[in-house]
Amino acid sequence: MTDEQMFAKDWLNRNYGDHMEIEALRNRLELLKNDIDRCTSVYGRADYQAYPDTKANREELLAKAADMNNFFEKRIMQLKKEDEITLQVIQRLESGIYRTILISRYINRLPWNKIQKNIKFERSNTYKLHSEALAKIYPYIREEIVGNDIS
């Protein structure tokens, strides 16, 4: 693989960690919601006086959940914007098969065996087409980076 192809692959893969982070944030937010639900059920009990700090804990958990939700939403918007940029760059390729492979791999995050089935090519041909697509998309990625002054 050439330096240009590696650069293109790295650029297309740049959001992979963000997708993993979003999933981790979703899990954390779900845990906070469960904590709030447990706190709410204690708050509603008749012997609530036995748990004097429950109201404060509930309010603290609600504030944490709201902060995390705001952060989560901002990260999702950022990720969607990055995916849209990636998709716009991929759409500049003339070959439909190149676009299909790159969208399947870098936007939809499909494994190679599913991409291979979708495009109905042998594994070696799928990899070869992927390498060709990376070489073809490199100039468009460079234009995007220079045009937006990002790296």
Side-chain angles (χ1 to χ4, degrees), residues 65-142:
D67 288 345
M68 179 161 270
N69 191 55
N70 289 339
F71 177 75
F72 179 67
E73 291 299 323
K74 286 178 187 174
R75 291 293 288 157
I76 287 176
M77 293 303 290
Q78 181 183 19
L79 178 61
K80 285 182 180 179
K81 184 178 179 183
E82 289 295 321
D83 277 349
E84 286 173 18
I85 291 168
T86 303
L87 189 56
Q88 288 171 1
V89 171
I90 292 171
Q91 291 297 334
R92 294 181 67 187
L93 292 171
E94 289 182 23
S95 170
I97 196 71
Y98 291 166
R99 290 191 307 266
T100 300
I101 290 169
L102 295 181
I103 289 169
S104 296
R105 187 67 179 168
Y106 299 106
I107 300 292
N108 299 336
R109 310 283 178 208
L110 293 180
W112 285 112
N113 62 335
K114 287 190 179 184
I115 296 169
Q116 177 189 342
K117 278 183 184 178
N118 290 347
I119 64 171
K120 298 175 180 26
F121 279 93
E122 295 294 322
R123 182 178 299 261
S124 60
N125 287 340
T126 302
Y127 291 144
K128 182 180 177 211
L129 289 166
H130 174 255
S131 290
E132 290 171 10
L134 291 175
K136 295 284 186 184
I137 201 168
Y138 175 77
Y140 301 125
I141 291 171
R142 294 301 305 172

Side-chain angles (χ1 to χ4, degrees), residues 7-22:
F7 182 87
K9 185 177 178 181
D10 289 344
W11 188 84
L12 291 166
N13 254 331
R14 72 195 187 287
N15 293 336
Y16 182 75
D18 290 342
H19 283 272
M20 305 263 302
E21 180 184 351
I22 293 298

Side-chain angles (χ1 to χ4, degrees), residues 14-50:
R14 72 195 187 287
N15 293 336
Y16 182 75
D18 290 342
H19 283 272
M20 305 263 302
E21 180 184 351
I22 293 298
E23 191 59 34
L25 286 171
R26 273 191 188 130
N27 291 336
R28 181 65 184 129
L29 190 57
E30 190 61 34
L31 288 172
L32 274 172
K33 287 178 182 177
N34 290 339
D35 287 348
I36 291 167
D37 288 344
R38 280 197 306 276
C39 198
T40 302
S41 65
V42 170
Y43 181 68
R45 289 175 42 175
D47 61 345
Y48 170 69
Q49 294 303 324

